Amino acid sequence: MKKSILLSSIILFSIGQSCQTSQNTNEEVVTEAKESSFDWNTASIYFLLTDRFNNGDTSNDVNFDRTTETGKLRNFMGGDIKGITQKIKEGYFTDLGIDAIWFSPIFEQIHGSVNEGSGVTYAFHGYWPKDWSSLDPNYGTKEDLKEIIEVAHSKGIRVLLDIIINHTGPVTERDPVWPNNWVRTSPQCEYKDYPTTANCTLVKNLPDVLTDSNENVDLPAYLVEKWKQEGRYEQEIEELDKFFEETGFPRAPRYYIMKWLIDFINDFGIDGFRVDTVKHLHEDVFAELAQLAQKAFDNWKRQNQEAILDDSEFFMLGEVYGYGISGKQYYNFGDRRVNYFSHGFNSLINFEFANDAKGSYESIFKKYDSLLKTEELKGKGILNYIASHDDGNPFDPQRKVSIEAANKLLLTPGGAQIYYGDETARSLVVEDAEGDATLRSFMNWEQAESDSIQLITAHWKKLGKFRQAHPSIARGRHKMLRAEPYVFSRALENDQVIIGLGLPKGGKSIDVKGFFENGIEVTDHYSTKKAIVTDGTVTIDSEFETVLLER
């Protein structure tokens, strides 16, 4: 035990020294990079399932003979990287005011199927990895990945890679279990405390990587054979030897995986990781990963100075299932509280918001403004959402109040995670789809062409672009100006806006004293109408119930 602790300490010291050297070496890169006003912690991030968004290449729809009939919405449906790239090129994300795109994991998935309670299912979702060093052909190729990052960056949009460290894919007849010095297959997690959450298998038949081990292990025999068949064994071994020689790490399971993950940064310039199932690993793993990732990002910038967006650092977003903003920096296991912000993460997904969204506008805005201004959360990222791929209790599952949902998500202080279809009222209730499958239907592009849905999407676009243009919305000081109809302000240094929700259609007067001085012209971003401030009042005549006033 003492030997393991000492070894871990040496490793962390070594990484810290390496990263310090990297940061010093990278000073010339930072000075050449464009200084950024971009803030990851208050960004609008669009999350989609790669297989469910848009089919850009029908030739890759079936691979590895994944042809067994499955349960409802539990097979691959054709979405791929090219499909996402197509929508970026069309300006879809730009029109929504999106700062970053996070798509589900694209690593090669298990080839076989699993028979669950809802029937047969394949790894369409991307969370059952078989080989971290390659892409699943259902999602596309590394050339496709290179293109999507270049196209996204050309639009000023960043890319988050969804990663898994804590488990492999399930065991099937076609997907053997990894060696027992790589994974544990029991006990199954009971979630009673820290040990029964972190030292166990997430669910039955989901082998848990021994990320707490420092034991030297050989590559799994099946992976060696696979690489040899693919003609890349020598290259992979050469790269691994170089990685372990440079870092001094033991050849322990987590370091193999970390090497494969940072390859995506070194090779493609990925801007950040969204990390899956964070609370199921010891938190020191993420501190190590974050340092390696930043070093790789610095290296990529040195090699690709013409492609650097700005001076932003590598971003780490954590999924600590059940974490909420009320816990501030901590997640409570019962027997132990862990601060993941001090272990490599810039931001955590806020599982509290979907329930908070049931409250009034003022109750939500006031709560988040207050909490994010506390010393504990200063500079910390909180990513809010109303729906996701695995939260069985989303806000408005039948999409009955999509306008209200947009208002609450996009106008609440903090970061905003838009889940694909939030903006097109894609229903999260699908007949005969069981469990989380009902949350994962294909993007409703055809339905989105209807007049009623286009009105909803137009609202999301207007709010999204306004939010993107005004940092005060996400991180400025909130103040209610009128309770009924509801009017409030946000102010951050020289950026001040006034927003009205549920206003009467036609002419409406808004008190702007203390924000906009008499005689100046202001614009309602929502209707594009302009008005002159007179006696501390602005009058907007529009057909809409929303006003977004900007100088």
Side-chain angles (χ1 to χ4, degrees):
M1 177 62 74
K2 288 183 179 179
K3 182 178 179 181
S4 296
I5 294 172
L6 176 60
L7 181 57
S8 295
S9 300
I10 292 172
I11 290 166
L12 282 170
F13 177 76
S14 173
I15 298 176
Q17 290 291 92
S18 299
C19 287
Q20 184 63 49
T21 302
S22 170
Q23 289 166 359
N24 291 338
T25 306
N26 195 46
E27 284 179 1
E28 58 186 285
V29 177
V30 174
T31 56
E32 291 186 14
K34 178 182 177 183
E35 187 176 349
S36 176
S37 59
F38 172 75
D39 184 353
W40 269 111
N41 292 342
T42 51
S44 295
I45 300 175
Y46 193 99
F47 169 40
L48 59 90
L49 294 189
T50 309
D51 178 69
R52 296 297 202 245
F53 186 67
N54 189 38
N55 193 347
D57 182 3
T58 56
S59 70
N60 65 11
D61 287 0
V62 179
N63 292 282
F64 306 124
D65 192 31
R66 293 170 172 145
T67 55
T68 301
E69 185 177 351
T70 67
K72 183 71 173 282
L73 295 178
R74 292 193 174 273
N75 203 345
F76 286 86
M77 297 181 72
D80 47 37
I81 297 170
K82 282 187 176 180
I84 307 168
T85 305
Q86 178 185 326
K87 290 299 178 181
I88 299 174
K89 290 178 178 179
E90 291 174 2
Y92 185 79
F93 301 102
T94 299
D95 291 344
L96 281 168
I98 298 301
D99 299 303
I101 299 172
W102 146 31
F103 42 84
S104 57
I106 52 176
F107 313 113
E108 183 174 338
Q109 300 294 293
I110 62 169
H111 297 180
S113 60
V114 175
N115 197 345
E116 298 184 327
S118 52
V120 171
T121 183
Y122 283 106
F124 67 89
H125 43 67
Y127 293 97
W128 291 348
K130 181 182 180 76
D131 183 352
W132 276 270
S133 70
S134 63
L135 268 61
D136 196 292
N138 269 80
Y139 307 133
T141 64
K142 290 190 175 181
E143 288 73 24
D144 296 337
L145 181 60
K146 181 175 185 293
E147 181 187 20
I148 193 173
I149 295 169
E150 290 176 349
V151 172
H153 284 177
S154 74
K155 301 279 190 180
I157 298 172
R158 288 144 174 91
V159 175
L160 282 179
L161 184 67
D162 201 332
I163 65 166
I164 304 117
I165 308 178
N166 97 292
H167 62 266
T168 67
V171 180
T172 78
E173 291 182 1
R174 301 169 62 190
D175 307 287
V177 66
W178 289 51
N180 60 14
N181 58 2
W182 268 85
V183 301
R184 62 170 64 88
T185 56
S186 65
Q188 189 173 333
C189 293
E190 296 179 342
Y191 309 105
K192 293 178 179 179
D193 49 24
Y194 186 88
T196 60
T197 302
N199 302 328
C200 47
T201 66
L202 184 65
V203 294
K204 187 178 180 180
N205 193 26
L206 196 64
D208 184 70
V209 177
L210 297 174
T211 52
D212 53 337
S213 170
N214 286 312
E215 177 187 345
N216 286 296
V217 297
D218 293 328
L219 288 165
Y222 99 84
L223 196 59
V224 170
E225 182 59 29
K226 177 178 182 292
W227 286 353
K228 286 181 177 179
Q229 291 177 1
E230 294 170 350
R232 59 188 177 101
Y233 172 74
E234 289 77 12
Q235 177 66 29
E236 294 293 343
I237 294 300
E238 181 180 337
E239 290 183 13
L240 283 167
D241 288 344
K242 182 180 178 181
F243 172 78
F244 285 113
E245 181 180 350
E246 289 181 349
T247 61
F249 294 149
R251 291 178 178 253
R254 70 181 181 278
Y255 296 120
Y256 281 99
I257 298 174
M258 286 184 195
K259 186 274 177 189
W260 296 325
L261 293 175
I262 65 170
D263 280 349
F264 288 93
I265 308 171
N266 280 313
D267 296 344
F268 303 104
I270 288 287
D271 300 285
F273 287 152
R274 178 271 185 184
V275 187
D276 187 55
T277 57
V278 167
K279 69 181 182 182
H280 296 284
L281 292 86
H282 292 226
E283 57 273 17
D284 289 346
V285 173
F286 307 112
E288 295 174 329
L289 177 62
Q291 291 175 323
L292 281 173
Q294 184 61 52
K295 184 178 179 182
F297 198 46
D298 291 343
N299 178 64
W300 180 84
K301 284 184 175 183
R302 281 196 299 273
Q303 302 299 321
N304 299 274
Q305 293 196 30
E306 75 290 343
I308 299 173
L309 277 178
D310 51 38
D311 59 358
S312 297
E313 295 188 342
F314 193 80
F315 181 64
M316 290 273 289
L317 169 65
E319 183 233 17
V320 182
Y321 204 95
Y323 165 81
I325 189 174
S326 295
K328 296 182 180 176
Q329 293 188 26
Y330 293 91
Y331 179 81
N332 192 348
F333 286 88
D335 62 332
R336 179 176 176 181
R337 295 199 312 157
V338 175
N339 183 344
Y340 289 99
F341 288 108
S342 65
H343 288 84
F345 287 103
N346 307 99
S347 182
L348 298 180
I349 296 171
N350 176 31
F351 286 79
E352 196 170 318
F353 185 78
N355 185 62
D356 285 342
K358 298 173 184 177
S360 68
Y361 291 128
E362 180 60 16
S363 68
I364 303 166
F365 299 161
K366 184 177 180 180
K367 171 181 176 177
Y368 281 75
D369 175 63
S370 176
L371 283 171
L372 289 171
K373 297 296 188 297
T374 60
E375 192 61 33
E376 296 96 319
L377 289 177
K378 186 177 181 180
K380 305 296 188 294
I382 300 294
L383 188 63
N384 303 318
Y385 71 87
I386 56 170
S388 78
H389 64 314
D390 58 4
D391 187 337
N393 296 292
F395 175 74
D396 188 30
Q398 295 182 332
R399 307 296 194 177
K400 294 181 178 179
V401 288
S402 291
I403 299 296
E404 177 187 335
N407 294 343
K408 289 178 173 177
L409 178 64
L410 299 179
L411 299 177
T412 293
Q417 170 198 305
I418 299 174
Y419 184 47
Y420 77 106
D422 282 350
E423 77 282 15
T424 58
R426 179 180 65 88
S427 179
L428 302 177
V429 179
V430 179
E431 187 177 358
D432 296 329
E434 297 183 17
D436 51 24
T438 191
L439 307 171
R440 304 171 177 182
S441 59
F442 205 85
M443 182 66 169
N444 58 331
W445 294 115
E446 292 185 7
Q447 182 188 9
E449 294 298 318
S450 69
D451 291 343
S452 60
I453 299 301
Q454 286 194 359
L455 286 174
I456 291 171
T457 304
H459 183 78
W460 280 81
K461 288 179 178 179
K462 290 176 181 180
L463 262 61
K465 294 291 285 185
F466 192 67
R467 171 189 163 89
Q468 188 177 53
H470 295 284
S472 60
I473 294 174
R475 60 179 189 266
R477 176 58 72 180
H478 170 79
K479 182 179 181 181
M480 183 177 72
L481 303 179
R482 185 175 178 179
E484 187 65 37
Y486 185 58
V487 180
F488 64 94
S489 66
R490 295 281 165 78
L492 179 69
E493 299 171 348
N494 295 323
D495 183 33
Q496 296 182 334
V497 298
I498 292 179
I499 298 171
L501 303 175
L503 302 175
K505 295 181 179 180
K508 35 201 164 268
S509 295
I510 299 173
D511 187 346
V512 298
K513 287 191 292 290
F515 293 92
F516 304 132
E517 59 267 29
N518 288 331
I520 70 163
E521 184 179 67
V522 296
T523 300
D524 170 25
H525 174 87
Y526 202 91
S527 67
T528 72
K529 297 286 183 70
K530 298 181 183 298
I532 303 296
V533 179
T534 305
D535 294 331
T537 301
V538 167
T539 299
I540 299 292
D541 188 356
S542 77
E543 61 182 300
F544 305 111
E545 298 178 349
T546 301
V547 166
L548 306 174
L549 287 181
E550 59 190 353
R551 191 173 186 123

